[in-house]
Amino acid sequence: MQIPSSGRSDQLAKILLGTQETKGPSTQRQPSQQETGNDRVQISDQAKELQRIRALGQTPDQERAARVEHIKNAIENGTYDVSGRKVGDALIKQVLTDAVV
């Protein structure tokens, strides 16, 4: 005995389970050549720029490291001289730059 499947529950099961009725092998969909493993990833120009900037940030800057080492040694020896005028000028320049930006 076979019970025919014609009702809402059967249709709902087909939708939820992804089952489809087929009439034979000719109705089955064959994946195209593009769908069989030729995945591609496209990275936007903005993402590429972020990657470049990140790489630059991770690259050690030899000049900066040498300058920091020089200042560190001067501070430890007590020979580091800070010009109040240079510090004040730098602060004013930074405030003005922040106000414009």
Side-chain angles (χ1 to χ4, degrees):
M1 178 175 160
Q2 185 175 12
I3 300 173
S5 58
S6 60
R8 289 187 176 177
S9 63
D10 185 50
Q11 291 173 352
L12 181 60
K14 287 179 185 179
I15 292 171
L16 294 176
L17 298 175
T19 60
Q20 298 177 358
E21 290 182 25
T22 59
K23 294 182 181 180
S26 63
T27 61
Q28 293 180 348
R29 182 177 170 272
Q30 296 295 325
S32 69
Q33 188 176 12
Q34 290 180 340
E35 295 173 341
T36 59
N38 293 333
D39 295 336
R40 293 183 352 168
V41 174
Q42 292 181 337
I43 301 174
S44 69
D45 291 337
Q46 184 179 13
K48 289 176 186 177
E49 182 66 12
L50 288 173
Q51 286 177 337
R52 186 185 71 79
I53 291 170
R54 184 176 184 194
L56 285 174
Q58 292 176 346
T59 305
D61 184 3
Q62 298 299 327
E63 291 179 24
R64 185 173 190 276
R67 184 170 181 220
V68 168
E69 187 65 29
H70 175 71
I71 292 171
K72 182 180 174 182
N73 290 335
I75 291 171
E76 288 175 357
N77 295 332
T79 58
Y80 184 67
D81 185 32
V82 179
S83 168
R85 183 162 184 85
K86 286 184 180 180
V87 172
D89 288 345
L91 286 171
I92 291 170
K93 184 177 178 181
Q94 183 67 38
V95 168
L96 291 175
T97 303
D98 288 347
V100 172
V101 176

